């Protein structure tokens, strides 16, 4: 049964361009005229000086407001604050934020870097930025 099921699926997979690896990224099929999109992960740990949390809270609403249009357009796929492991079970006032994580769908790492550098958390000296190159976004 499993063997016949895999034979039924095989023709669907044969449509995928088998030479899809280029410089570590999976590209869309050659017949696709849109520029390829990649998923990038941004790890943005909070700075650890004593005033970092206060700076974060001061600009938080501005940061969230700016994220809404990016999310609605599909550019910012998902993002949120990171907590310490012990914060998962802590009371709301006792939770400790340690940074942010964001997932972008973009054509280049430069596009993502520019967006993060323009964000008030980065420009306001709340977080530092680490961008990990991602994989292709397959629709």
């Amino acid at each position: 049964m499993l063997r016949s099921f895999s034979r039924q699926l095989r023709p669907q997979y044969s449509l995928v361009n088998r030479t899809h690896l280029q410089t570590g990224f999976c590209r869309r099929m050659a017949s696709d005229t849109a520029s390829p999109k990649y998923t990038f992960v941004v790890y943005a740990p909070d700075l650890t000086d004593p005033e970092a949390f206060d700076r974060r809270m001061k600009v938080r609403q501005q940061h969230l407001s700016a994220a809404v249009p990016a999310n609605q357009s599909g550019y910012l796929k998902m993002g949120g604050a990171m907590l310490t492991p012990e914060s998962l079970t802590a009371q709301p006032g006792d939770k400790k934020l340690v940074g942010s994580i964001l997932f972008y769908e973009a054509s280049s790492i430069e596009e993502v870097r520019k967006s993060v550098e323009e964000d008030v958390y980065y420009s306001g000296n709340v977080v530092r930025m680490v961008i990990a190159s991602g994989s292709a976004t397959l629709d």
Side-chain angles (χ1 to χ4, degrees):
M1 172 107 171
L2 182 61
R3 204 173 276 181
S4 65
F5 180 70
S6 68
R7 278 189 216 138
Q8 290 173 339
L9 292 178
R10 195 170 294 133
Q12 295 173 358
Y13 291 117
S14 67
L15 297 175
V16 176
N17 180 352
R18 294 188 188 273
T19 59
H20 61 283
L21 295 177
Q22 296 179 0
T23 64
F25 293 110
C26 298
R27 297 221 179 250
R28 290 178 185 237
M29 292 181 3
S31 63
D32 191 350
T33 58
S35 66
K37 299 282 186 179
Y38 306 101
T39 300
F40 294 93
V41 179
V42 176
Y43 167 59
D46 284 358
L47 298 177
T48 56
D49 61 279
E51 293 82 27
F53 181 76
D54 291 336
R55 287 193 307 271
R56 175 187 265 273
M57 292 297 103
K58 190 185 301 186
V59 297
R60 183 173 185 266
Q61 194 55 52
Q62 183 181 352
H63 164 77
L64 294 174
S65 295
V68 169
N71 179 254
Q72 289 174 340
S73 72
Y75 173 57
L76 175 61
K77 300 308 257 179
M78 180 175 39
M82 294 185 307
L83 302 171
T84 62
E86 50 279 350
S87 292
L88 297 175
T89 57
Q91 296 298 315
D94 297 330
K95 293 184 185 287
K96 183 173 185 222
L97 300 170
V98 293
S100 301
I101 190 138
L102 307 139
F103 295 84
Y104 287 92
E105 182 178 87
S107 298
S108 70
I109 197 168
E110 291 80 15
E111 181 182 349
V112 174
R113 183 175 287 114
K114 182 177 184 282
S115 294
V116 174
E117 288 173 349
E118 291 173 351
D119 185 273
V120 70
Y121 276 0
Y122 185 80
S123 64
N125 210 24
V126 173
V127 300
R128 64 185 181 90
M129 164 184 43
V130 177
I131 300 177
S133 304
S135 63
T137 301
L138 301 175
D139 294 331

